[in-house]
Amino acid sequence: MSHSLLATRRFAGLFWCQFFSALNDNFLKNALVFLILWRLGAEAAGPLVSLAAATLMAPFFFLSALGGEVADRFDKAIVARRLKLAEIPVAGLAVVGFLLHSIPVLFASLLGFGVLAALFGPVKYGILPDQLDKGELPAGNALIETATFLAILLGTVIGGWAAADGGDPVRLAGIMLVFAVASVVAAFLIPKTGRGVPGLPIRVNILASTFDLLRHLGDDRRLLWAGLASSWFWTVGAVALSLLPTMVKGALGGADDLVTAYLAVFAIAIAIGSGLAAWLSGHRIVLVTAPIAALVMAGFAALTAFAIARVPATATPPLGLLAALSDPLAIRVALGMAGLAIAGGLFVVPVFAA
């Protein structure tokens, strides 16, 4: 099912569009983080590194409802194209920031990408029922989630590589523009869907639209629980990904290549869990696996925490990837993170499909 969907224009365009878009977002965020570390040093950079993640995510709290109104009123494929075209000048701003090594300019560009990502989110998920049959929704959501976490992984790795020791501005700028153009090209491959609610008003007051959306969620318990469940998943995922480098470096004494390896394990495990969820669905939307998967996530998180808590606070040489393969604690932590991620894929795919 997954391979057949990727071979169709009705899904492939959306898949690659959101993949390159998420890749660019995470590339810019992580390149900015490395530039902050290079300019300010590890001790002074902590608040700005946290601010970089908040800058990318904050627009989702305020603009998602507006994005939903726009996606419902206009053709979602056309909205996607215009949003991706708007990414070109935002990427151009990032290019200026890289050329000048200007952290404020890069923060402004990151905020722009966050705004566009928040407006694109309702299009990305809302277009799936327009393009796919009901029985294809689990597989479609599985592919979207897999691509999202692989984009996070690749954005982290490529951003760190390109921005190491200040980075080559031309290389950083070139990567940004390539990803942005690839996202635009893919957006123009998405077939038009038609307007959902042509007469829906678009409110300028984003707070009013956000609170109305929350009230609407409260009126429908099914939507409310689905919204809470998906929000809980993304909270767990964000916390796990943000703590993982610190955990590997601080508790295990891991080197940079080990951090990258753990990120890869997490992303690949999400893909495995998402694929399992799509396979178990049998072309149906089945929610029975979601609460079980949530309990399994909690169990693997607890096992990982207990393993880390027993590590003595002693100075040791950096633990590399090859040495970690024979280290029992490193293996237990890797298995714990993999189990958490696989259960996460099993949890989120049926919830999003529903």
Side-chain angles (χ1 to χ4, degrees):
M1 172 68 77
S2 298
H3 295 294
S4 60
L5 282 179
L6 283 174
T8 63
R9 182 185 171 188
R10 60 195 171 95
F11 181 77
L14 173 65
F15 176 88
W16 291 112
C17 175
Q18 68 89 31
F19 172 77
F20 283 113
S21 181
L23 183 58
N24 222 6
D25 295 345
N26 286 278
F27 169 79
L28 175 59
K29 184 192 75 172
N30 287 285
L32 175 57
V33 165
F34 273 82
L35 287 176
I36 292 172
L37 292 170
W38 175 69
R39 290 280 296 274
L40 303 180
E43 292 185 0
L48 282 180
V49 169
S50 299
L51 182 61
T55 299
L56 184 61
M57 296 304 298
F60 285 86
F61 293 99
F62 305 103
L63 297 177
S64 291
L66 174 64
E69 291 176 350
V70 172
D72 279 340
R73 177 168 177 173
F74 302 104
D75 189 303
K76 296 180 183 66
I78 295 177
V79 174
R81 294 170 190 175
R82 292 179 179 176
L83 288 174
K84 294 305 117 180
L85 284 172
E87 281 190 4
I88 298 295
V90 177
L93 181 63
V95 168
V96 174
F98 285 132
L99 293 175
L100 299 178
H101 275 156
S102 172
I103 291 176
V105 172
L106 289 172
F107 262 105
S109 177
L110 188 63
L111 178 62
F113 273 109
V115 168
L116 293 173
L119 296 175
F120 181 62
V123 175
K124 177 175 70 173
Y125 289 110
I127 203 172
L128 286 176
D130 294 336
Q131 304 283 23
L132 305 181
D133 297 329
K134 185 177 180 180
E136 295 175 321
L137 286 176
N141 277 278
L143 287 169
I144 291 294
E145 296 314 310
T146 297
T148 298
F149 278 90
L150 287 177
I152 292 173
L153 168 65
L154 291 175
T156 301
V157 173
I158 299 174
W161 164 76
D165 298 324
D168 178 4
V170 175
R171 179 173 60 192
L172 288 163
I175 293 173
M176 282 288 305
L177 290 176
V178 167
F179 290 159
V181 171
S183 184
V184 170
V185 172
F188 275 85
L189 297 177
I190 302 174
K192 293 183 179 180
T193 61
R195 297 186 176 191
V197 189
L200 183 70
I202 305 296
R203 287 170 292 184
V204 178
N205 188 339
I206 58 175
L207 292 179
S209 60
T210 299
F211 285 124
D212 282 350
L213 176 64
L214 293 175
R215 280 195 294 268
H216 179 61
L217 280 174
D219 293 336
D220 190 324
R221 290 181 63 86
R222 294 174 302 171
L223 286 177
L224 176 62
W225 285 111
L228 290 174
S230 60
S231 298
W232 178 81
F233 165 79
W234 282 109
T235 301
V236 173
V239 170
L241 284 174
S242 62
L243 290 181
L244 195 150
T246 303
M247 179 182 68
V248 174
K249 281 183 170 291
L252 299 180
D256 290 340
D257 61 344
L258 188 60
V259 174
T260 302
Y262 271 82
L263 288 169
V265 167
F266 193 87
I268 293 169
I270 280 281
I272 292 172
S274 299
L276 283 174
W279 176 72
L280 290 172
S281 71
H283 309 301
R284 295 173 294 118
I285 298 176
V286 181
L287 284 170
V288 68
T289 59
I292 299 173
L295 292 174
V296 175
M297 289 175 67
F300 275 109
L303 289 174
T304 304
F306 288 140
I308 292 297
R310 298 177 181 177
V311 179
T314 56
T316 58
L319 182 67
L321 177 57
L322 293 178
L325 295 176
S326 59
D327 185 282
L329 177 60
I331 293 173
R332 285 202 301 273
V333 172
L335 291 176
M337 295 303 296
L340 172 65
I342 290 173
L346 287 166
F347 173 84
V348 73
V349 167
V351 168
F352 273 21

